[in-house]
């Protein structure tokens, strides 16, 4: 175990022992350390910092008085997590049964494959590890559903996103600086995961920024996801320094996305821009929209940004040549790259695994693809896909009933910020696991569909330390 992993374990347990929301903030910050192995030794499964922190976070939530019962209620509630619960049961059953039923009969690209090519399906360790990851994501969504029903918790969640964004930007800067100074070896203790790490790759003569993630694609997509979340949540942050920090973080995340030169991240950024533009238009045309408070500031910032880019182009057009060349190579010429050929093979084999299994799938952890929808279909079949996609569609479309203005606004902005992430999953999702960050967002959305009595604000901080309000979940104290 490297020293950063040991230090993070200390921080995780210290945060867990505190009464404040430190563990939640640390959970989001740990998302920036995607190449750090938290387990001792150099072999076996990888336990990443965010997964380790999520496990402790879940434990802290569930040991609070009454939260186990609330978790059972949320897991069985058709308006909240019932579909996700049904998916998990079916997926875990399939992970055990399906690889054995179809063993030796179906061609797959194994999740743990380190070479280009395919293999014949057989039960393996991947079925166990991927099942574990899926259970962790489900438990994360469940925990956030239980504790996400108060205004104080929603405020902590927003601040945690900001913590995560600042950490992600900082690790990207460290990666860029150490590469420029040719001292990249100092980051080796942070890059101990056993899967392939692509950390020193260049494109068009420029360093592809990866931060402390395994590759540029994972870093760039993480930047886009947090940028989208901050943009849509920005009006809900406290006026003053907090909102100004959010604006700086958004700009830094967009810059880091561009420096990652990830084609998936570029597409995600375009989708995010399209969704934001449509949402802005809707708010401008709808005089009764609850999110019109700071629309003038948003329009002003957009006009300033467009004017600045136009002025730079007029003064020095050549300044944009490297950017145009990079986008052309990473997006429009992507189909000629070796990566595209390899990932196309994964998708083709994964799709045929779904068809060859009669639509049942071959089990969690049995097949690697590069498209999240195909991963769900190939792993859990049509039944799993209907439950998982049904759950996501339900959370994105359903409107909280009998909810306050604040709850409705929070649900709306969280949904909008999640859409670019789901689109990027379709371009690069290799496994069925939806991930800790997306699970947390879905859990917070599901929490807005809880009975109205449980969405009341927590009492003043002086009382919150002693007890939670009647009917409200216990969790982190404000």
């Amino acid at each position: 175990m490297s020293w950063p992993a040991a230090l993070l374990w200390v921080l995780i347990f210290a945060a867990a022992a505190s009464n404040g929301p430190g563990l939640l903030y640390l959970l989001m910050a740990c998302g920036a350390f995607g190449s750090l192995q938290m387990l001792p030794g150099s072999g076996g499964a990888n336990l990443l910092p965010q997964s380790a922190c999520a496990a402790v976070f879940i434990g802290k939530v569930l040991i609070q008085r009454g939260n186990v019962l609330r978790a059972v209620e949320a897991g069985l509630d058709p308006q909240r997590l019932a579909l996700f619960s049904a998916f998990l049961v079916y997926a875990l059953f399939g992970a055990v049964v399906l690889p054995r039923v179809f063993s030796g009969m179906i061609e797959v690209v194994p999740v743990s494959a380190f070479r280009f090519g395919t293999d014949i399906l057989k039960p393996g360790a991947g079925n166990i590890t991927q099942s574990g990851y899926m259970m962790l994501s489900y438990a994360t969504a469940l925990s956030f559903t239980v504790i996400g029903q108060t205004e104080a918790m929603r405020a902590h969640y927003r601040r945690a996103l900001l913590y995560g964004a600042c950490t992600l930007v900082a690790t990207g800067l460290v990666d860029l600086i150490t590469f420029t100074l040719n001292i990249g070896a100092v980051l080796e203790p942070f890059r101990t995961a056993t899967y392939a790490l692509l950390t020193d790759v260049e494109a068009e003569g420029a360093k592809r920024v990866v931060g402390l993630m395994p590759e540029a694609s994972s870093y760039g997509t993480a930047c886009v996801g947090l940028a989208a979340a901050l943009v849509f949540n920005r009006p809900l942050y406290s006026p003053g320094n907090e909102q100004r920090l959010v604006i700086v973080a958004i700009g830094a995340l967009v810059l880091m996305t561009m420096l990652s030169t990830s084609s998936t991240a570029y597409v995600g950024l375009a989708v995010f821009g399209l969704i934001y533009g449509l949402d802005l238009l809707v708010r401008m045309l709808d005089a009764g929209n609850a999110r019109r408070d700071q629309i003038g500031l948003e329009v002003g910032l957009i006009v300033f940004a467009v004017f600045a880019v136009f002025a730079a182009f007029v003064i020095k057009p050549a300044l944009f040549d490297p950017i145009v060349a990079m986008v052309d190579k990473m997006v429009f010429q992507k189909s000629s790259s070796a990566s595209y050929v390899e990932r196309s093979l994964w998708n083709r084999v994964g799709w045929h695994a779904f068809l060859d299994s009669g639509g049942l799938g071959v089990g969690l952890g049995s097949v690697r693809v590069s498209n999240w929808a195909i991963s769900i279909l190939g792993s859990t079949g049509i039944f799993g896909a209907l439950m998982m996609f049904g759950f996501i569609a339900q959370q994105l479309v359903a409107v909280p009933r009998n909810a306050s203005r604040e709850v409705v606004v929070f649900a709306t902005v969280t949904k909008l910020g999640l859409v670019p992430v789901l689109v990027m999953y379709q371009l690069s999702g290799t496994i069925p696991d939806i991930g800790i960050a997306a699970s947390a967002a879905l859990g917070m959305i599901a929490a807005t569909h809880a009975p109205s009595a449980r969405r009341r604000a927590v009492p003043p901080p002086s009382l919150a330390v002693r007890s939670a309000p009647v009917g409200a979940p216990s969790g982190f104290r404000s």
Side-chain angles (χ1 to χ4, degrees), residues 106 349-362 374 377-378 381-382:
I106 296 177
V349 172
W351 175 251
H352 283 294
F354 164 68
L355 296 178
D356 293 342
S357 67
L360 295 176
V362 293
I374 296 178
L377 285 167
I382 190 66

Side-chain angles (χ1 to χ4, degrees), residues 385-406:
L386 287 174
M387 288 182 281
M388 173 57 82
F389 299 147
F391 164 69
I392 293 176
Q394 176 192 40
Q395 298 307 314
L396 292 180
V397 173
V399 178
R401 296 181 180 179
N402 302 318
S404 67
R405 175 183 180 273
E406 186 270 335

